[in-house]
């Protein structure tokens, strides 16, 4: 703890605190980030929270919503935002991650937001970088800010976490979104059911507080939220990809299944969605769909997460 210049107590900010997965935050910090994101949504802070802090966006993998949302969040907290196409970086010329990290720090970068198709890349970067690393999605491993925005969307809807019943459906095996959500939801006492075919949801995903179900229809009437995932063709070995027709029969959210979903439940999807594969036009247009709310919440969540990492957490905040 330390006394801030304004006299309020703060947990001492560490110049190297990173967000590699959601459990780098405590339960209280998750709650605080979600609460602050709600405050930012009601009233934008002035652009002083990260005034003059150089933040680098390093997206080695395609991204629309996550990259845009991070950039806007960084601008709204006053950061000096640098984005560049890593395809043209010196990593491609054989420079090691450690040397790149040293170079970026010497330039003055204090926060790196990184997405990479290799699981563990952000951690390796964080080991050599004397600053904050924020994981914007690594391979199939983790996507902590997506989980935070999903949790914020659930909290806005239900006002609590404990005891909520959430089904995560589809290509769990290749989903970093599912992995981070499982970790976060377990921390917060949410009851998680994973639903999918054995090829995309192996039995070993079952753990304390996390059930596996193969029968989607049986799960639907008992949930508060259903999170539909994209079939990640780019990560799936051809032999594993079930015939699309079979997949939609078993796991697509469409007309019949929308009738099984309770009135007060919500439909989540991290995007990008494939219309007609994991869900239909009707599911996307359903009044229970919260896809747009999720995307909107992402900006405020990323503002709050950046503020927590760089400035620490005001006690009692
Ligand atoms: C996801 C991702 O990239 O992990 N999208 C996102 O960040 N909102 C999910 C996906 O690619 O299917």
């Amino acid at each position: 703890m330390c006394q801030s210049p304004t006299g309020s107590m703060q947990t001492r900010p560490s110049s190297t605190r990173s967000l590699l997965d959601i459990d780098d935050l405590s339960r209280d910090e998750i709650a605080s980030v979600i609460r602050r994101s709600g405050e930012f949504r009601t009233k934008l802070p002035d652009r002083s929270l990260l005034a003059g802090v150089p933040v680098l966006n390093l997206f080695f993998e395609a991204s629309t919503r996550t990259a845009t949302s991070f950039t806007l969040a960084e601008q709204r907290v006053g950061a000096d935002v640098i984005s560049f196409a890593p395809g043209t970086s010196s990593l491609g010329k054989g420079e090691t991650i450690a040397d790149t990290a040293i170079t970026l720090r010497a330039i003055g970068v204090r926060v790196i937001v990184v997405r990479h198709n290799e699981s563990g890349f952000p951690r390796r970067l964080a080991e050599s970088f004397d600053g904050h690393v924020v994981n914007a999605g690594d391979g199939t491993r983790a996507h902590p800010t997506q989980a935070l925005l999903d949790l914020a969307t659930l909290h806005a809807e239900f006002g609590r976490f404990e005891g909520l019943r959430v089904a995560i459906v589809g290509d769990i095996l290749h989903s970093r979104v599912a992995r981070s959500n499982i970790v976060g939801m377990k921390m917060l006492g949410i009851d998680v059911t994973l639903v999918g075919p054995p090829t995309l949801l192996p039995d070993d995903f079952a753990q304390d507080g996390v059930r596996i179900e193969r029968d989607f229809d049986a799960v639907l009437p008992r949930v508060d939220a259903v999170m539909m995932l994209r079939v990640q063709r780019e990560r799936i070995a051809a032999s594993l990809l079930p015939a699309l027709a079979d997949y939609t029969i078993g796991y697509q959210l469409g007309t019949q299944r929308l009738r099984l979903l309770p009135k007060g439940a919500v439909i989540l999807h991290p995007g990008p969605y494939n219309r007609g594969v994991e869900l239909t036009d009707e599911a996307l247009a359903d009044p229970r769909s919260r896809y747009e709310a999720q995307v909107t919440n992402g900006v405020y969540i990323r503002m709050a997460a950046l503020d927590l990492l760089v400035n620490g957490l005001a006690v009692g905040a």
Side-chain angles (χ1 to χ4, degrees):
M1 302 281 214
C2 63
Q3 193 85 16
S4 80
T6 56
S8 68
M9 297 296 279
Q10 297 207 312
T11 53
R12 192 183 297 278
S14 148
S15 62
T16 56
R17 186 162 186 205
S18 289
L19 180 60
L20 304 177
D21 201 352
I22 191 163
D23 56 359
D24 285 326
L25 304 178
S26 67
R27 276 174 63 115
D28 284 352
E29 287 172 331
I30 293 174
S32 164
V33 166
I34 290 173
R35 189 169 51 247
R36 294 212 76 203
S37 74
E39 289 165 12
F40 291 162
R41 193 173 172 158
T42 312
K43 187 178 181 306
L44 279 176
D46 60 24
R47 296 184 182 235
S48 66
L49 292 173
L50 261 72
V53 175
V55 178
L56 173 68
N57 294 314
L58 201 54
F59 280 67
F60 291 87
E61 236 189 30
S63 172
T64 307
R65 69 224 83 219
T66 305
T68 312
S69 156
F70 263 112
T71 306
L72 187 56
E74 290 152 8
Q75 289 172 351
R76 286 186 163 172
V77 292
D80 287 347
V81 183
I82 314 156
S83 300
F84 84 115
T88 61
S89 78
S90 293
L91 272 170
K93 297 182 188 169
E95 186 174 74
T96 65
I97 298 179
D99 289 335
T100 302
I102 290 165
T103 304
L104 291 172
R105 188 67 186 106
I107 288 168
V109 171
R110 281 184 54 202
V111 182
I112 302 176
V113 176
V114 62
R115 168 172 284 199
H116 200 283
N117 66 3
E118 194 183 303
S119 299
F121 185 93
R123 181 171 302 279
R124 289 205 286 138
L125 184 63
E127 278 162 9
S128 335
F129 181 62
D130 186 17
H132 310 275
V133 174
V134 183
N135 183 3
D138 63 326
T140 59
R141 203 188 73 87
H143 194 349
T145 58
Q146 178 69 43
L148 285 169
L149 75 87
D150 292 335
L151 291 167
T153 308
L154 288 174
H155 199 267
E157 199 66 41
F158 300 103
R160 66 188 168 99
F161 293 120
E162 195 72 44
L164 281 183
R165 293 157 306 172
V166 178
I168 306 179
V169 184
D171 184 3
I172 314 282
L173 181 62
H174 302 98
S175 176
R176 52 197 177 203
V177 175
R179 280 188 183 74
S180 284
N181 264 300
I182 292 168
V183 174
M185 287 179 182
K186 275 191 65 172
M187 286 172 76
L188 296 165
I190 293 177
D191 177 272
V192 182
T193 304
L194 306 177
V195 185
T199 43
L200 299 178
L201 172 57
D203 287 332
D204 57 13
F205 269 86
Q207 48 179 291
D208 247 16
V210 180
R211 258 188 315 280
I212 288 189
E213 281 280 357
R214 306 290 175 200
D215 182 355
F216 192 14
D217 294 2
V219 171
L220 276 165
R222 301 187 259 117
V223 294
D224 298 300
V226 60
M227 179 183 291
M228 305 304 298
L229 298 174
R230 185 174 68 88
V231 177
Q232 305 214 0
R233 292 167 173 280
E234 74 278 18
R235 300 189 205 279
I236 300 180
S239 58
L240 270 184
L241 194 65
L244 208 56
D246 288 349
Y247 185 81
T248 57
I249 290 167
Y251 299 102
Q252 183 187 71
L253 186 61
T255 313
Q256 301 297 329
R257 293 198 170 106
L258 285 169
R259 293 198 189 115
L260 298 174
L261 185 69
K263 259 202 171 68
V266 293
I267 303 165
L268 304 178
H269 195 305
Y273 46 75
N274 287 150
R275 285 180 188 269
V277 183
E278 69 271 13
L279 76 187
T280 61
D281 291 351
E282 195 186 343
L284 282 163
D286 192 283
R288 292 165 292 185
S289 171
R290 292 293 178 273
Y291 170 71
E292 284 177 36
Q294 288 174 271
V295 177
T296 303
N297 289 337
V299 177
Y300 303 106
I301 275 291
R302 290 174 173 121
M303 292 168 67
L306 286 165
D307 180 37
L308 172 71
L309 290 179
V310 173
N311 298 318
L313 174 68
V315 170

